[in-house]
Amino acid sequence: MTEGASQSSSLRVLDPSLPYTFFRPTKRINEGQDVSSFLTSRAYSDIMTFLFQLNGSLYPRRVGKDGPLQTIHEWELDSSEVTYSETVVKLRKLLQRLEDTIDKAPPDTGPRRFGNVSFRKWYDLVESQTANLLEEFLPEEVLSFGGDSCADIKAKDELGTYLLGSFGSAQRLDYGSGHELSFLAFLGCLWMLGGFSKSNPGVEERGIVLGVFEPYLHLIRRLIKTYNLEPAGSHGVWGLDDHSFIPYIFGSAQLAPAISSLDQIPAEGSLSNAPDPAGVAKAAIVERERKRNMYFGAVGFIYDVKKGPFWEHSPILYDISGVRAGWAKINKGMIKMYNAEVLSKFPVVQHFPFGSLFSWEHDPKAGPPPTSVHTSNQPDKPLHRTDQRGKMSMRAPQEGTKAPWAEQSSSSTPVTRDAGELQATKAPWASLRTAATPMSPMKQTPTVSSSDTPPWTGPVNLPTRAPWAKRQSPTDGH
């Protein structure tokens, strides 16, 4: 399936007149090799189809013939041009109810290094109310889908698993992109069960993203700040974001060039009045744009919870801010990065459950899973396992996921990879390096400037190079 075709396709809607059997979603990804099976499953195909569908709806639209009378519709946050269906309105009320529940589980007082245990109280409250909340806020046609009122597992059981899995882990007191994926699946389940209104392409999808997904992010950010939830599976400073990924996809689509149809998705360019991508490093621009755009909204949350120069605590986002080909290019790259860094990573997708809607079944249309540095370096079976007597036993450790810079060469020649293999993102300053031995960071420590920009101006006092940055001469390009 080509990217253009993916952007214009839609997630299937099941026939409500036919009998249907639900079953409670369960864990199927138990070791690294299972990720390859996931990448050829129906669930993976449906996730990507739904993601493309929502993403394409956020591209600005041209209305009318070319000329001075042509109108361009932009889909900003709280835009009056975005309509909300009855289902979207009810889901907004559901999320507000969940946010109000925070007041019933105030955080424990006193300094804590890790997550606040009161999150478990909030989670238990939500878990105990999930079935009733779904019955109150979901359409009746969704709750009664399949027609078998005596079935052991009903639609709300399958939907509830994804909804409850989207708020973080009460056990580990953390939240990450795997939980965010669970909420995307929850919305996808509703779509497949016919829970959303039938309208012109893009209309309902925009309502889902701006009317439901954005309030969900607002709820999550309040949970993170209230209960100090840890990042789940964070890459540290070399990750895109400690907690979220999808708002960067949707937000970059909001700023891409206007289109007339989904068949015209551009590879480059930006909306004429879009802010420059470099604006993410300027707090004043972020504060202004976060009220209108999901990308800047996600960056704004980083400013809320982190201190110091942006290039220092968010180098990957800073690197991306240097893309000169526009927001469409960033949007395309974000989708590829999501596929590689979220859907192809065992630590992220290992907890995703599979049911009747997002099925573990092999997709007959799927090709072989792509071979990349991500899929070829998956962890094997868990180090600990329980023997037949119920005791914990140890086995020989298996090779885990290598850091991109871990491969070493016997000579001074840099390690090379196949052209089709995914490379780690280079730091923005990587092209400034020469083949000379990098300076020790103990001797050359960059000085933090008040302008929040890297304090180097030339080959002197260069910052510490990203561990995987390929050495290049000044004439090399990215």
Side-chain angles (χ1 to χ4, degrees):
M1 181 183 294
T2 65
E3 185 170 329
S6 299
Q7 295 277 15
S8 59
S9 60
S10 297
L11 186 62
R12 70 187 189 278
V13 177
L14 302 178
D15 187 348
S17 65
L18 300 177
Y20 191 83
T21 301
F22 294 96
F23 54 88
R24 199 177 302 277
T26 57
K27 176 180 172 66
R28 301 298 296 268
I29 301 178
N30 299 303
E31 56 187 52
Q33 295 178 352
D34 293 334
V35 176
S36 295
S37 299
F38 166 60
L39 295 176
T40 58
S41 69
R42 290 186 180 273
Y44 170 80
S45 177
D46 288 338
I47 288 169
M48 289 304 298
T49 297
F50 195 48
L51 184 65
F52 275 123
Q53 179 182 348
L54 298 178
N55 180 71
S57 72
L58 294 175
Y59 270 70
R61 289 296 198 276
R62 293 193 191 98
V63 179
K65 297 181 179 179
D66 292 339
L69 297 180
Q70 187 180 65
T71 302
I72 294 180
H73 288 176
E74 303 174 31
W75 316 116
E76 297 181 349
L77 299 178
D78 296 326
S79 172
S80 60
E81 296 184 355
V82 178
T83 58
Y84 296 156
S85 66
E86 183 180 356
T87 299
V88 169
V89 171
K90 287 185 175 181
L91 289 175
R92 289 168 63 86
K93 293 179 180 179
L94 168 61
L95 293 170
Q96 185 59 54
R97 179 77 63 83
L98 295 175
E99 187 167 350
D100 293 341
T101 306
I102 296 176
D103 298 330
K104 299 179 181 180
D108 285 1
T109 57
R112 292 181 179 274
R113 181 179 177 185
F114 302 107
N116 196 295
V117 294
S118 287
F119 175 68
R120 292 172 181 151
K121 300 176 184 177
W122 179 88
Y123 190 93
D124 289 343
L125 286 172
V126 173
E127 184 176 25
S128 65
Q129 299 171 9
T130 298
N132 292 334
L133 289 172
L134 293 178
E135 290 180 356
E136 181 179 354
F137 292 108
L138 293 190
E140 175 59 32
E141 57 268 27
V142 169
L143 297 173
S144 61
F145 195 96
D148 187 357
S149 59
C150 298
D152 293 334
I153 305 298
K154 299 180 175 63
K156 67 177 181 180
D157 299 308
E158 192 156 336
L159 288 163
T161 300
Y162 291 112
L163 179 63
L164 197 60
S166 65
F167 304 124
S169 171
Q171 178 183 6
R172 300 183 302 273
L173 301 177
D174 63 13
Y175 174 88
S177 53
H179 303 110
E180 183 183 66
L181 172 62
S182 187
F183 191 74
L184 181 70
F186 169 71
L187 297 175
C189 289
L190 287 176
W191 183 277
M192 285 188 275
L193 296 177
F196 291 106
S197 299
K198 297 178 177 62
S199 56
N200 293 330
V203 174
E204 187 70 354
E205 290 89 338
R206 282 189 290 274
I208 292 172
V209 175
L210 302 180
V212 182
F213 206 91
E214 177 63 19
Y216 161 75
L217 293 173
H218 183 274
L219 166 63
I220 292 302
R221 290 163 187 164
R222 186 177 172 191
L223 290 173
I224 292 171
K225 295 175 73 173
T226 300
Y227 300 115
N228 193 28
L229 299 183
E230 294 288 310
S234 172
H235 296 282
V237 71
W238 297 113
L240 179 72
D241 185 293
D242 281 347
H243 299 99
S244 294
F245 200 114
I246 293 178
Y248 296 99
I249 298 176
F250 294 156
S252 55
Q254 288 175 284
L255 300 173
I259 60 175
S260 298
S261 69
L262 290 175
D263 296 328
Q264 301 174 346
I265 295 291
E268 297 182 352
S270 298
L271 197 64
S272 59
N273 60 345
D276 191 284
V280 297
K282 298 177 175 61
I285 294 178
V286 172
E287 188 61 27
R288 181 190 71 206
E289 297 297 330
R290 70 186 298 181
K291 303 171 185 176
R292 303 186 290 198
N293 177 264
M294 295 181 70
Y295 191 104
F296 282 87
V299 173
F301 183 67
I302 294 178
Y303 276 87
D304 292 342
V305 297
K306 293 187 177 183
K307 305 301 179 183
F310 186 79
W311 60 268
E312 187 174 76
H313 60 63
S314 301
I316 301 302
L317 283 170
Y318 182 83
D319 189 9
I320 294 169
S321 74
V323 173
R324 308 314 305 166
W327 287 105
K329 183 74 171 180
I330 293 175
N331 181 251
K332 183 178 180 181
M334 282 293 175
I335 293 176
K336 290 182 178 180
M337 192 175 181
Y338 185 77
N339 186 63
E341 297 291 337
V342 176
L343 299 182
S344 298
K345 288 292 186 69
F346 173 79
V348 179
V349 298
Q350 63 172 320
H351 301 296
F352 185 83
F354 298 84
S356 67
L357 297 170
F358 283 97
S359 171
W360 180 253
E361 181 182 352
H362 177 76
D363 182 4
K365 298 180 181 179
T371 301
S372 70
V373 68
H374 306 283
T375 56
S376 62
N377 286 310
Q378 300 285 5
D380 201 351
K381 295 179 180 179
L383 179 63
H384 298 82
R385 63 181 180 183
T386 304
D387 60 20
Q388 293 179 350
R389 295 170 294 178
K391 296 182 178 180
M392 190 69 72
S393 61
M394 297 287 292
R395 66 176 188 83
Q398 299 291 327
E399 183 179 10
T401 304
K402 294 181 180 178
W405 57 86
E407 298 185 35
Q408 299 181 359
S409 173
S410 59
S411 65
S412 59
T413 305
V415 176
T416 59
R417 302 182 188 275
D418 294 336
E421 193 174 49
L422 289 174
Q423 297 280 357
T425 306
K426 290 191 290 185
W429 54 81
S431 61
L432 298 176
R433 288 287 187 180
T434 65
T437 303
M439 291 181 285
S440 169
M442 295 298 293
K443 298 179 180 179
Q444 297 290 342
T445 303
T447 303
V448 177
S449 65
S450 59
S451 61
D452 198 32
T453 57
W456 63 87
T457 57
V460 181
N461 197 32
L462 288 171
T464 304
R465 179 167 56 93
W468 59 80
K470 184 177 180 181
R471 295 177 182 176
Q472 296 177 325
S473 65
T475 58
D476 290 340
H478 287 283

